[in-house]
């Protein structure tokens, strides 16, 4: 095909620049070879001119661009067929399914996070500027300040003009001033409990202490409580500020959780693929090929959500995403099963229902575990 095109005499593809050995990999070549048969580099000894360099650069972008275009087009309009083609050997035509899925979903959540941040005017992170004015230390008392890294970066707190120095005396005195009695539990007392009670008691005591004294710094708090300054204790204590951050800005927390979804799906897919492998055991596809099918489905969903993001933002509700989720998604999934596994309608419908049940039950369970872990790390 390519060899039939006429070549200009000064082109890098011109015959006079051909060699019998590839400059890139050393594969021996014929003078009729326009490209190396091993590494596919252009067979030319011509020195690079500005024009050559630019056209090579643009060419590489266009190749990537055409892959992307094919992938998006076939993913949207040829459910299942894209997987059928890819698995059947048309690899270079399409983007890598795993990379494509991760890119699309991450772009989706980044964009969604940006839109949420700007449309609600709420930043998931603390705005320390306080509208250009420095934060007055008195305001610390009334305002629940949150720290993006989860660690209070204040070593000494100055509240109402007094340096808040923490020592055992203040602990002994302060509870008398408040109505709620602070029940102090020493490390030795905690050691007598079994591990689950110990954790609960430790956390609830730290929570009370935190509410009472408003000390964000775990080192300071543990020191005044005379508890061991271990990384675990600091972690437990720092959950206090995470609690406040969630209460302060639930949207920020939701965004944080949603942002984890691509990774969740990425690790969930191998498990889900197992069920495909099970109910399509008679098909010729390998476990890996079922997985590619799943990644194509996930990619479609995120691509569709990405497209819906702009109109949904303007209408200020999720009507388009809702339609994708409730109607287009299931229909697409059914069509994809039909086109990829090529079974008749009835069998496909039965498998469709089974896979949906499996998906919802197992993903709910896996999501609970996954999000509990994410929340612990928040
Ligand atoms: Zn080569």
């Amino acid at each position: 095909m390519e060899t039939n095109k006429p070549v200009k005499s000064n082109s890098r593809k011109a015959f006079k620049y051909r060699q019998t050995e590839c400059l890139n990999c050393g594969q021996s070549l014929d003078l009729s070879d326009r490209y190396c048969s091993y590494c596919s580099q252009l067979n030319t000894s011509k020195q690079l001119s500005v024009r050559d360099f630019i056209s090579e650069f643009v060419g590489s972008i266009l190749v990537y661009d055409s892959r992307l275009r094919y992938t998006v087009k076939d993913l949207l309009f040829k459910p299942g067929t894209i997987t059928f083609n890819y698995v059947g050997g048309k690899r270079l035509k399409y983007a890598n399914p795993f990379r494509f899925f991760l890119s699309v979903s991450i772009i989706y959540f980044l964009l969604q996070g940006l839109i949420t941040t700007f449309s609600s005017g709420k930043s998931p992170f603390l705005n320390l500027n306080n509208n250009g004015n420095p934060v007055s230390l008195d305001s610390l008392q009334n305002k629940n300040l949150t720290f993006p890294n989860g660690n209070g970066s204040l070593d000494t707190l100055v509240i109402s003009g007094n340096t808040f120095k923490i020592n055992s005396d203040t602990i002994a005195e302060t509870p008398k001033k408040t109505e709620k009695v602070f029940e102090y539990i020493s490390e030795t007392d905690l050691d007598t409990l079994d591990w689950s009670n110990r954790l609960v008691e430790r956390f609830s005591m730290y929570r009370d202490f935190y509410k009472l004294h408003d000390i964000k710094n775990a080192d300071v708090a543990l020191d005044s409580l005379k508890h061991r300054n271990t990384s675990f204790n600091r972690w437990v204590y720092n959950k206090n500020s995470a609690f406040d951050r969630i209460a302060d800005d639930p949207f920020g927390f939701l965004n944080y959780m949603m942002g984890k979804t691509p990774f969740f799906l990425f690790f969930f897919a191998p498990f889900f693929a197992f069920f495909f492998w099970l109910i399509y055991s008679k098909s010729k596809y390998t476990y890996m090929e079922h997985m590619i099918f799943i990644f194509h489905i996930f990619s479609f969903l995120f691509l569709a959500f990405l497209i819906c993001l702009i109109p949904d933002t303007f209408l200020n509700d999720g009507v388009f995403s809702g339609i994708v989720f409730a109607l287009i998604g299931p229909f697409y999934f059914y069509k994809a099963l039909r086109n990829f596994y090529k079974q008749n309608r009835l069998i496909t419908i039965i498998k469709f229902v089974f896979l949906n049940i499996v998906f919802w039950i197992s993903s709910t369970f896996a999501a609970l575990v996954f999000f509990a872990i994410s929340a612990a790390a928040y």
Side-chain angles (χ1 to χ4, degrees), residues 118-323:
F118 283 109
S119 60
S120 70
K122 269 189 177 178
S123 167
F125 300 109
L126 168 71
N127 183 5
L128 261 178
N129 284 332
N130 202 20
N131 299 325
N133 305 314
V135 183
S136 82
L137 287 165
D138 282 346
S139 73
L140 280 171
Q141 212 178 16
N142 308 320
K143 204 174 167 187
N144 275 328
L145 276 184
T146 55
F147 293 90
N149 58 4
N151 273 315
S153 52
L154 300 172
D155 288 327
T156 30
L157 273 174
V158 181
I159 295 171
S160 303
N162 301 313
T163 310
F164 197 73
K165 268 199 128 182
I166 302 121
N167 51 46
S168 44
D169 293 346
T170 30
I171 299 168
E173 279 167 25
T174 330
K176 290 173 200 161
K177 293 174 196 163
T178 52
E179 285 172 29
K180 190 177 189 301
V181 183
F182 173 71
E183 223 179 292
Y184 176 76
I185 309 167
S186 72
E187 196 82 75
T188 16
D189 289 340
L190 279 173
D191 283 341
T192 59
L193 304 166
D194 66 275
W195 73 269
S196 61
N197 272 330
R198 192 160 60 215
L199 181 64
V200 171
E201 288 299 325
R202 186 188 293 281
F203 182 73
S204 64
M205 191 202 32
Y206 286 179
R207 185 83 194 133
D208 291 344
F209 181 80
Y210 178 85
K211 280 193 207 150
L212 212 56
H213 300 278
D214 200 26
I215 297 169
K216 302 224 158 50
N217 190 306
D219 293 319
V220 175
L222 289 171
D223 185 51
S224 48
L225 283 168
K226 300 212 186 315
H227 273 206
R228 283 189 290 267
N229 192 344
T230 59
S231 56
F232 176 75
N233 285 358
R234 280 198 302 275
W235 177 81
V236 174
Y237 193 83
N238 281 327
K239 285 297 111 187
N240 278 309
S241 36
F243 259 54
D244 284 355
R245 272 186 297 149
I246 295 169
D248 248 22
D249 184 7
F251 283 108
F253 179 65
L254 210 65
N255 265 336
Y256 167 83
M257 286 306 213
M258 296 286 275
K260 302 263 179 223
T261 314
F263 302 100
F264 165 70
L265 289 176
F266 204 80
F267 290 108
F268 176 65
F271 170 76
F272 194 37
F274 172 75
F275 288 93
F276 278 77
W277 178 78
L278 211 67
I279 67 163
Y280 284 108
S281 56
K282 279 184 202 153
S283 83
K284 58 186 188 306
Y285 297 126
T286 64
Y287 175 79
M288 204 59 213
E289 287 165 341
H290 292 300
M291 198 126 99
I292 290 169
F293 178 79
I294 292 168
F295 274 105
H296 275 149
I297 301 284
F298 286 168
S299 301
F300 166 79
L301 278 177
F302 279 105
L303 202 59
F305 285 144
L306 196 61
I307 293 168
C308 294
L309 209 52
I310 303 296
D312 272 348
T313 305
F314 280 113
L315 288 174
N316 208 15
D317 64 11
V319 66
F320 286 97
S321 316
I323 291 170

Side-chain angles (χ1 to χ4, degrees), residues 22-27 29 36-41:
C22 174
L23 288 176
N24 185 49
C25 70
Q27 166 90 348
L29 299 172
C36 170
S37 56
Y38 189 75
C39 74
S40 75
Q41 174 164 288

